[in-house]
Amino acid sequence: MILLAWMALAAMSDAQIATARKAAPADVRAVVDRWEMCNHWGGEEPYDKARARQIERASAKLRCDRLDADEAALRRRYVHRPNILRLLTAAHDIY
């Protein structure tokens, strides 16, 4: 039963994510945006040293290494806001 509830919480369409993202507080939008961009840079190929440095700089600027901790803090802050938790789950799973 708990697994089904979690799956329902995580299942969001692209349109629902976009709508929830627009309605979310700024700190939540920022983390969702960072998930998206960190996923982008994490998938880039470091085909030479200059490109590797570009990827490293972008990841550092986005604080990609802090995303899990930042998401956990938001989950604690918005523990009673299921719409926010649902958005965070969807963003984490998609990105």
Side-chain angles (χ1 to χ4, degrees), residues 74-94:
L74 289 176
R75 287 183 178 281
R76 287 189 300 275
R77 181 176 302 142
Y78 296 107
V79 68
H80 299 296
R81 304 249 328 250
N83 57 326
I84 299 295
L85 299 177
R86 187 174 173 198
L87 174 60
L88 289 170
T89 298
H92 184 106
D93 291 347
I94 290 171

Side-chain angles (χ1 to χ4, degrees), residues 19-76:
T19 300
R21 194 180 202 163
K22 287 179 186 175
D27 55 350
V28 174
R29 283 192 316 272
V31 165
V32 170
D33 292 346
R34 283 173 53 213
W35 271 120
E36 183 176 12
M37 292 309 299
C38 288
N39 183 58
H40 166 79
W41 285 106
E44 289 293 308
E45 184 66 35
Y47 46 78
D48 61 23
K49 288 181 183 182
R51 182 64 172 167
R53 282 192 304 274
Q54 183 184 23
I55 294 167
E56 288 173 21
R57 281 193 298 267
S59 294
K61 183 177 180 180
L62 290 163
R63 301 175 325 276
C64 296
D65 61 333
R66 293 263 325 135
L67 268 174
D68 289 330
D70 293 344
E71 178 188 2
L74 289 176
R75 287 183 178 281
R76 287 189 300 275

